[in-house]
Amino acid sequence: MWFTPDWSLPEGVAAASTDRVGGASKPPFDGFNLGTHVGDEADAVRLNREALRLGLRLPSEPAWLEQVHGTRVVTLPCGEPIPQADAAYTHTPGQVCTIMTADCLPVLLCHRDGSQVAAAHAGWRGLCDGVLEQTVARFSGEASDLLAWIGPAISAEAFEVGPEIREQFVAQDPKAASAFVARGEKFLANLPQLALQRLFALGLTQVTRSRLCTFSDPENFFSYRRDGRCGRMASLIWIR
């Protein structure tokens, strides 16, 4: 139901990313859906979240966000029961930064000394508008001291967009053009590459990609573009 991201984390920091295998949810949310907003039965989601918490021995309930494809970052702990945000940051042990995805990019970040962590939800809108920049800005110290992991997301081969989306990225950075390949009147967009460009531009040098495609692997991953109505996976990071 989950796996450990393949990247080098400092002592005292843990991370995990879930898939759809197992769980209590029924089709079309089968089986390990963690989203309460997709139409799944509340009891099924509660059981799945409980299994996640117990299975990973999480130090606290994950900080579930109301994600809106924006750029707001919350610092945990915060006083909002369900913050409307697309990224969470903390320097407090025991706080679990969590975001949900079903094609969008999950990006986990960690300071190399293990003192600060964050999780960001980067769909094309949030990525273009600066959610990664806003998240990195929460960290104290130099961006070159940060480690990043880009989790399972829709691959370029499956993510077709209109020319207006390409134009928005290119208007901010001409190098973004290399992440788009023309297909007829539309383009195939490489979200992981766009995220890499943003992170490198910020000064990060150690970025690991999972290279897992949610769209092309229906057995293991939810994909909103492939299925429409579907569940959500989670990516989590915390200081022990």
Side-chain angles (χ1 to χ4, degrees), residues 16-66:
S17 189
T18 71
D19 53 34
R20 71 180 298 174
V21 180
S25 296
K26 298 177 181 179
F29 313 107
D30 51 320
F32 200 55
N33 166 49
L34 296 167
T36 59
H37 63 292
V38 295
D40 196 2
E41 295 181 3
D43 284 345
V45 179
R46 178 182 56 78
L47 289 172
N48 292 340
R49 289 185 173 187
E50 181 179 1
L52 179 72
R53 186 174 65 254
L54 296 176
L56 289 175
R57 298 181 181 179
L58 296 177
S60 64
E61 179 70 21
W64 304 104
L65 307 177
E66 181 188 348

Side-chain angles (χ1 to χ4, degrees), residues 1-3 18-22 30-32 152 212-214 216-223 226 233:
M1 292 184 280
W2 51 77
F3 62 94
T18 71
D19 53 34
R20 71 180 298 174
V21 180
D30 51 320
F32 200 55
L212 296 172
C213 174
T214 50
S216 63
D217 190 354
E219 182 177 345
N220 290 303
F221 299 116
F222 296 115
S223 169
R226 182 189 64 226
M233 286 112 32

Side-chain angles (χ1 to χ4, degrees), residues 81-238:
I82 305 178
Q84 188 179 87
D86 283 87
Y89 159 90
T90 192
H91 54 75
T92 304
Q95 296 290 313
V96 185
C97 297
T98 309
I99 54 96
M100 290 182 288
T101 57
D103 279 338
C104 294
L105 291 172
V107 181
L108 302 181
L109 298 127
C110 175
H111 194 281
R112 67 172 66 253
D113 68 6
S115 64
Q116 307 168 75
V117 298
H121 161 245
W124 76 261
R125 288 186 184 86
L127 186 60
C128 188
D129 290 343
V131 68
L132 295 184
E133 287 83 350
Q134 293 295 325
T135 306
V136 169
R138 288 297 175 100
F139 286 80
S140 59
E142 300 296 325
S144 58
D145 288 326
L146 302 184
L147 314 173
W149 180 76
I150 298 173
I154 192 168
S155 64
E157 292 77 13
F159 191 41
E160 186 178 75
V161 300
E164 71 283 356
I165 294 176
R166 178 184 181 275
E167 290 169 6
Q168 290 181 53
F169 279 97
V170 174
Q172 296 184 28
D173 181 3
K175 294 180 181 177
S178 64
F180 294 86
V181 175
R183 185 161 77 173
E185 296 182 354
K186 295 190 175 182
F187 292 87
L188 297 177
N190 191 325
L191 280 179
Q193 183 179 334
L194 289 165
L196 278 171
Q197 291 175 347
R198 294 290 182 112
L199 293 170
F200 288 158
L202 290 168
L204 279 77
T205 59
Q206 298 189 53
V207 182
T208 303
R209 287 179 56 181
S210 71
R211 301 187 183 277
L212 296 172
C213 174
T214 50
F215 185 93
S216 63
D217 190 354
E219 182 177 345
N220 290 303
F221 299 116
F222 296 115
S223 169
Y224 181 79
R225 178 157 287 218
R226 182 189 64 226
D227 301 326
R229 199 160 177 247
C230 67
R232 296 294 185 272
M233 286 112 32
S235 294
L236 316 87
I237 188 166
W238 66 98

